[in-house]
């Protein structure tokens, strides 16, 4: 089968491309404004990439067009379609489908799917769970919205029965407004956490809770729902109905709990010590992610003791507090955090790891997600940045005043309208021993390299 993927460089669609290629299909695709690591991964797989969405790509004449949710029927100011290729596909009557639907029909069918959902930590928890199953010899397939360092790629078919997938609540495609995860039909579903996000497609938290309940509805009676016991929103989801076994984690009365510092802790199952995790990660959020992975792995026969031991060699995911380099005595990190809660937990984890006297934290971020661009969470930004000594915001493209939003931080916050300006601000303020954390769900204009180069010249 020849598939041509529109929006191929997104983390999810890039994973679909990799799986299709591994399965022996011919894969081509197109996108605009691509950036690593996905573009590098696709080129290494020998997948032909086309820049843009020109209608001339109809000449590929694939068996099916696979449409990413970046594609819409939107038009440019002059009236021309923003995605002329999509218009040509519709006019021709050619066969097309969504990425999740293609995946469900050609990869997930007949597998024991373990799906990891949640507002935060999906990528990390999915990677943890995959590594646990790998270490247990189950040879799982997986699709992760990032690149797990233990595997060096975002997706593989795997030869075992299990398939682990990051289950996103964002909508499927312009012609299918259900959440992606409704297509996956998991036997093991992890509900990691849930708060308001994606203000561009959801009106409120209740709307997202309904989508999570749609996921719960697809889990069979012999399946398991693993749920964060401290999240009231997830309690409301389950109270809408649950027909499967439920295992909780995180709360004092949960089935799986932790005792100790997030960097080294005991795992308790209903109060009994059943394993110990000692690893390089930090932060309470990662401790909770670990409990979720352990509870999910238990459902497919991996003991908590073995799961905890496996996590000791877990190497995290690219762009999750990834050290990009050190220059002039200043360390520069890359992190995917873009929601205020994720920003706060990232900085809290680093502060806990550094301890007292471990150096200053300089937070550098861009409100790039659709939710942040709409300003739906701008009031939470000062709270999210409390652990940073200094904060720097790239305000380009925002429809709201970042300076006003960050005013409660006083002289601890600076705003730059361009990335070059932000780089100058950071370099002027940084000193030996500082930790600069760059946070964005995009490429951030290569700011990491620019900072390292500028710090070296200082």
């Amino acid at each position: 089968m020849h598939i041509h993927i529109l929006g191929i460089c997104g983390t999810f669609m890039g994973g679909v491309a990799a799986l299709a290629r591994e399965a022996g299909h011919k894969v081509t695709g197109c996108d605009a404004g691509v950036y690593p690591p996905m573009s590098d991964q696709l080129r290494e797989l020998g997948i032909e990439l086309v820049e843009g969405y020109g209608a001339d790509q109809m000449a590929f004449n694939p068996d099916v067009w696979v449409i990413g949710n970046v594609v819409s029927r939107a038009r440019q100011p002059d009236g021309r379609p923003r995605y002329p290729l999509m218009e040509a596909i519709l006019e021709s009557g050619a066969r097309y489908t969504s990425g999740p639907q293609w995946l469900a029909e050609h990869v997930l069918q007949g597998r024991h799917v373990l799906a990891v959902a949640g507002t935060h930590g999906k990528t990390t928890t999915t990677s943890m769970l995959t590594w646990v199953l790998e270490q247990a010899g189950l040879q799982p397939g997986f699709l992760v919205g990032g690149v797990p360092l233990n595997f060096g790629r975002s997706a593989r078919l795997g030869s075992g029965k299990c398939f682990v997938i990051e289950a996103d609540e964002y909508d499927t495609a312009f012609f299918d407004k259900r959440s992606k995860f409704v297509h996956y039909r998991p036997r093991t579903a992890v509900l990691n956490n849930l708060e308001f996000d994606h203000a561009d497609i959801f009106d409120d938290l209740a709307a997202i809770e309904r989508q999570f309940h749609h996921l719960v509805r697809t889990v069979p009676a012999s399946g398991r729902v693993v749920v964060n016991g401290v999240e009231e929103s997830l309690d409301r989801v389950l109270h809408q109905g649950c027909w499967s076994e439920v295992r909780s984690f995180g709360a004092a009365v949960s089935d799986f709990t932790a005792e100790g510092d997030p960097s080294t802790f005991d795992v308790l199952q209903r109060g009994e010590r059943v394993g110990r995790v000692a690893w390089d990660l930090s932060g309470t959020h990662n401790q909770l992610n670990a409990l979720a992975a352990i509870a999910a792995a238990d459902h497919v026969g991996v003991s908590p003791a073995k799961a905890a031991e496996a996590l000791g060699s877990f190497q995290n995911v690219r762009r999750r507090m990834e050290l990009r380099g050190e220059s002039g005595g200043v360390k520069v990190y890359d992190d995917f955090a873009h929601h205020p809660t994720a920003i706060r937990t990232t900085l809290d984890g680093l502060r806990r790891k550094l301890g007292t006297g471990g150096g200053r934290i300089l937070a550098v971020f861009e409100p790039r997600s659709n939710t942040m661009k709409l300003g739906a969470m701008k009031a939470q930004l000062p709270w999210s940045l409390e652990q940073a000594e200094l904060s720097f915001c790239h305000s380009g493209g925002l429809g709201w005043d970042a300076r006003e939003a960050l005013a409660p931080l006083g002289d601890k916050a600076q705003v730059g309208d361009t990335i070059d300006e932000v780089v100058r601000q950071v370099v002027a303020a940084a000193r030996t021993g500082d930790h600069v954390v760059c946070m964005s769900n995009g490429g951030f204009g290569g700011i990491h390299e620019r900072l390292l180069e500028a710090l070296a010249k200082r």
Side-chain angles (χ1 to χ4, degrees):
M1 177 187 293
H2 175 194
I3 67 173
H4 188 81
I5 300 177
L6 282 69
I8 193 171
C9 289
T11 52
F12 172 77
M13 298 302 284
V16 171
L19 292 170
R21 179 78 170 183
E22 186 180 353
H25 300 293
K26 179 181 179 180
V27 183
T28 54
C30 63
D31 212 320
V34 304
Y35 57 87
M38 190 54 65
S39 57
D40 293 341
Q41 177 175 292
L42 292 172
R43 290 189 179 100
E44 288 169 5
L45 291 172
I47 293 173
E48 182 180 351
L49 302 179
V50 180
E51 178 69 26
Y53 295 90
D56 57 338
Q57 293 175 58
M58 292 297 293
F60 278 105
N61 193 29
D63 296 295
V64 62
W65 302 88
V66 182
I67 315 300
N69 68 0
V70 69
V71 177
S72 70
R73 301 296 303 280
R75 292 189 174 273
Q76 300 185 52
D78 61 4
R80 291 180 300 154
R82 185 165 295 170
Y83 299 95
L85 175 56
M86 190 68 240
E87 298 300 319
I89 292 169
L90 293 172
E91 289 290 349
S92 72
R95 181 185 172 202
Y96 66 90
T97 187
S98 69
Q101 186 68 40
W102 191 92
L103 189 71
E105 294 174 354
H106 297 277
V107 176
L108 301 183
Q109 194 73 32
R111 308 289 289 267
H112 181 124
V113 177
L114 300 94
V116 180
T119 308
H120 314 293
K122 290 187 294 293
T123 301
T124 301
T125 306
T126 306
S127 302
M128 288 181 185
L129 177 55
T130 303
W131 182 241
V132 167
L133 302 190
E134 177 78 358
Q135 290 296 92
L138 299 184
Q139 299 179 308
F142 63 88
L143 197 164
V144 185
V147 180
L149 296 175
N150 288 102
F151 295 98
R153 52 178 167 164
S154 67
R156 79 172 187 194
L157 287 177
S159 58
K161 180 74 171 177
C162 295
F163 194 97
V164 189
I165 187 167
E166 179 174 333
D168 187 5
E169 71 272 23
Y170 207 82
D171 60 12
T172 298
F174 76 86
F175 51 86
D176 183 352
K177 306 315 286 184
R178 295 173 295 171
S179 291
K180 290 191 186 84
F181 56 40
V182 173
H183 294 274
Y184 303 153
R185 301 184 181 182
R187 302 193 72 83
T188 309
V190 176
L191 310 184
N192 211 19
N193 43 63
L194 176 55
E195 62 179 295
F196 184 64
D197 197 5
H198 309 308
D200 53 322
I201 62 171
F202 293 118
D203 292 331
D204 50 32
L205 179 58
I208 309 178
E209 290 174 1
R210 281 194 295 275
Q211 291 297 322
F212 270 65
H213 188 246
H214 292 165
L215 174 63
V216 171
R217 289 177 183 176
T218 66
V219 182
S222 60
R224 174 180 290 188
V225 177
V226 177
V227 60
N228 187 329
V230 301
E231 294 272 332
E232 293 183 6
S233 55
L234 293 178
D235 283 342
R236 292 193 293 270
V237 169
L238 295 186
H239 281 139
Q240 293 181 48
C242 184
W243 302 266
S244 312
E245 173 188 80
V246 176
R247 291 291 182 268
S248 62
F249 66 93
V253 294
S254 291
D255 298 293
F256 291 87
T257 57
E259 195 173 86
D261 186 84
S263 62
T264 306
F265 58 93
D266 291 325
V267 177
L268 284 67
Q269 185 174 11
R270 301 187 183 91
E272 179 184 351
R273 285 176 175 77
V274 291
R276 185 170 178 80
V277 175
W279 57 0
D280 294 330
L281 275 66
S282 61
T284 303
H285 59 297
N286 278 320
Q287 189 178 59
L288 291 171
N289 292 341
L291 292 176
I294 290 168
D298 176 68
H299 189 225
V300 292
V302 181
S303 72
K306 287 185 178 179
E309 182 182 1
L311 288 174
S313 55
F314 177 67
Q315 296 180 32
N316 214 334
V317 183
R318 195 172 295 170
R319 301 205 65 202
R320 269 58 177 184
M321 281 306 296
E322 179 183 1
L323 179 62
R324 294 292 293 269
E326 182 174 353
S327 184
V330 178
K331 292 182 177 179
V332 177
Y333 302 84
D334 184 14
D335 195 87
F336 198 72
H338 53 279
H339 185 286
T341 300
I343 292 172
R344 184 178 177 90
T345 54
T346 293
L347 299 179
D348 282 349
L350 179 57
R351 174 58 65 206
R352 182 187 290 268
K353 184 174 183 179
L354 295 176
T356 57
R360 300 188 306 168
I361 296 175
L362 277 58
V364 185
F365 69 99
E366 62 172 352
R368 182 183 176 276
S369 70
N370 289 330
T371 300
M372 294 302 290
K373 283 182 178 178
L374 290 170
M377 297 187 177
K378 61 184 180 181
Q380 297 181 36
L381 282 173
W383 164 80
S384 72
L385 297 162
E386 284 179 343
Q387 289 288 8
E389 275 74 16
L390 296 172
S391 298
F392 304 86
C393 174
H394 173 226
S395 64
L398 296 182
W400 47 273
D401 191 339
R403 290 173 177 83
E404 180 181 348
L406 296 171
L409 294 175
D411 59 7
K412 290 178 61 178
Q414 297 183 46
V415 176
D417 297 328
T418 67
I419 291 177
D420 285 340
E421 184 179 358
V422 174
V423 169
R424 288 194 295 271
Q425 292 171 345
V426 175
V427 172
R431 61 191 189 213
T432 300
D434 283 348
H435 300 263
V436 178
V437 184
C438 302
M439 293 172 284
S440 170
N441 67 341
F444 210 160
I447 195 171
H448 323 86
E449 291 77 13
R450 293 194 199 184
L451 283 169
L452 289 168
E453 291 174 5
L455 287 165
K457 295 175 181 177
R458 189 175 55 170

